[in-house]
Amino acid sequence: MKIVVLLKQTPDTETKIKIDASGSAIEHADTKYIINPYDEFAIEEALQTKEKAGGTPEVVIMSFGDDKARELIIKGLAMGGDRGVLISNAGLESADSLTVAKVLAAAIKTEGASLVLCGRQAIDDDNMHVGTMTAELLGWPHVNVVTKLTLTGEKAHVEREVEGGKVEVYDVNLPAVIGAHKSLNTPRYASLPGIMKAKKKPFDAKTPGDFGINAADIKSKIKVVVKSYEYPPAKPAGRLFQGEELEVMADKVVQLLRQEAKVL
Amino acid sequence: MKVLIFVEQRDGKIKSSAFEALTVGARLAGSPGDAAAVLVGADTASLTGQLAGYGVDKVYTISGPDFALYNAMGWAAGVEAAIKDFAPQVLVGVASPMGRDFFPRLAARMDAALLTDVIAVDWKDGALHGTKPMYAGKCRAHLVSQNCNLHMVTIRPNVMPAQKTGSGSASATTLQVASPSAQSKTVEIRKGKSEKADLTEASLIISGGRAMANAENFKILHECADVIGATVGASRAAVDSGYATHDMQVGQTGKTVNPNLYIACGISGSIQHMAGMRTSKVIVAVNTDKDAPIFTIANYGIVGDLFQVVPLLTKKLKELVGH
Ligand SMILES: Cc1cc2nc3c(=O)[nH]c(=O)nc-3n(C[C@H](O)[C@H](O)[C@H](O)COP(=O)(O)OP(=O)(O)OC[C@H]3O[C@@H](n4cnc5c(N)ncnc54)[C@H](O)[C@@H]3O)c2cc1C
Ligand SMILES: Cc1cc2nc3c(=O)[nH]c(=O)nc-3n(C[C@H](O)[C@H](O)[C@H](O)COP(=O)(O)OP(=O)(O)OC[C@H]3O[C@@H](n4cnc5c(N)ncnc54)[C@H](O)[C@@H]3O)c2cc1C
């Protein structure tokens, strides 16, 4: 059994976002990158699945990205992954989700995985596309926003959280793509020996061409482009009530909600 | 231009946000003859009447016992059948848990562009133009679709209001769709605890943070919420401390909410919390610390102890709504 974990590099949540002068790009010179937080749950689930299966499945950490993703894949190896695969996105930096999925699906096919774990969504673009699109391209089922995963033989029993606290329960055949939600598990920290070992673990640097993908061809088919960026309109300065009697302030705010803000 | 709108129902009830999608779809289509809706579920034929007046002449229904429980494979097959019959250039849905689950599958199948969770959308020069909040709401991106025959979009709930455009009713067309794949079976859908609107769809929300101090104290938020029909949310600190369940979490790793009114009680206003609620139309904050960051985005702030202020707000709201 082989498990592939999909990892996306995302800007640290504290990053200040600065739109460049042309308005068509974000300045990323000072950006610090982290493993997309949901992908850590995917890594943890892969490691737990491996442990439950007696340590036999290989856990492959795979990313389509630039060289900054290398360090993050190695972090995943330090947590316990067995092998890293970095597929270079050189020339495809502006790929849309479907293009990313096409590359990942081809790579997964070559790997021959029986389970793919990913995050429910990347916290930068918040699309929730890539895992599901990859599943469709492979002809596999998927379940996303997963809070519970139980594997028995060739099947997975999966719980997915939807609105109103409702839970959808699925039985899916493997191979499948599972998108991790945060309550799936608690990701471990990499141990010091783990960090030492990670640098020596196998690491494959690949290009889409290695998986039979013609980069120029898929580039010419990109379907979603970002034309420009803008800051959200500034909120008018708020009103802060303090120092008055609490009941007076509560009354003022409730009246303003009806008369000025008109939300009640 | 031909537009197909996916109308979401669960348990035989059409989602209110589906009417927002219909309104957007009818606007993009320009005329009712160019707009069609598609419903998938156990018995959807009985629901088509509710679409009257929303500017679509045609409604596709895909029904049967195989469609009793939502499943991405089944729903994708159903909507695909409607696409094949109607041949739309645009497919509109809602960025709800259901829409966000099967639209990416359908987009990959149809080799379509997919713009997700947009707050504004237009059709210009043969392309969809969508505006999407990103980086946790810190900026907005303008997206354009290209290189495809089908352009798909999901809209963020509660942003573009639903509006009837006429009185015309839609004629129903039943499509026979083979039972969905055996690769994925939905075993059951367990009911949530709450009958209230989900946070992601709620128009009024009152949330508590670490300062709530324990689960029991959330009662005062529920009492306030009940007066105005609000849904109760929480910060991650409150969830991680066990005061609230994780489906109540608002923020970057919780839910993105977009209510008309968000009342934050004892929440400091971390960047990750604000990521999930900063697009709320009106924000009220109650905090003992006048320098709490939450006040920087609040329209109205009260500096005070939430255990005193919240019951007073409840009392004043009761007087206002008259019960
Ligand atoms: C502002 C902006 C808006 C965008 N909007 C759209 C849009 O509406 N439609 C569209 O098609 N494209 C869009 N894109 C492009 C899209 O975000 C990129 O193609 C991106 O690389 C795909 O990631 P995602 O955010 O869609 O990931 P998601 O689908 O949210 O990611 C889900 C999971 O998939 C895995 N994953 C994602 N990317 C990778 C990767 N590169 N390598 C390995 N695993 C990965 C991770 O496990 C991740 O947790 C946008 C880009 C920008 C900059
Ligand atoms: C990757 C990542 C993702 C995260 N995702 C989320 C997320 O999705 N959602 C989220 O909320 N957080 C998230 N966080 C956590 C976030 O950074 C904060 O730790 C968290 O939001 C703090 O919650 P809080 O405001 O309730 O608590 P605190 O920051 O401790 O604030 C408590 C506030 O209560 C006030 N207070 C105290 N007593 C009273 C009283 N009696 N009456 C009134 N006010 C009082 C205090 O002045 C203070 O401002 C994330 C963090 C990381 C690193």
Side-chain angles (χ1 to χ4, degrees), chain A residues 126 129 140 163-164 169 260, chain B residues 15 100 105 116 187 198 300:
Chain A
D126 283 323
H129 288 174
W140 297 1
E163 67 268 45
V169 183
E260 185 179 81
Chain B
K15 284 270 172 119
R100 298 192 75 160
R105 182 170 277 280
T116 286
V187 185
D198 187 66
Y300 308 111

Side-chain angles (χ1 to χ4, degrees), chain B residues 112-132:
Chain B
L114 173 57
L115 312 189
T116 286
D117 200 22
V118 302
I119 55 170
V121 61
D122 268 307
W123 178 259
K124 270 192 297 233
D125 309 323
L128 274 181
H129 293 245
T131 307
K132 174 183 167 98

Side-chain angles (χ1 to χ4, degrees), chain A residues 169-188:
Chain A
V169 183
Y170 293 87
D171 277 332
V172 297
N173 293 351
L174 298 182
V177 175
I178 301 295
H181 190 30
K182 82 173 169 68
S183 54
L184 184 57
N185 54 45
T186 310
R188 67 194 66 187

Side-chain angles (χ1 to χ4, degrees), chain A residues 67-89:
Chain A
D67 211 52
K68 293 188 290 295
R70 174 181 294 269
E71 181 196 333
L72 302 176
I73 294 176
I74 290 173
K75 249 183 111 179
L77 298 179
M79 284 171 74
D82 296 306
R83 176 160 57 92
V85 178
L86 173 58
I87 310 161
S88 165
N89 72 347

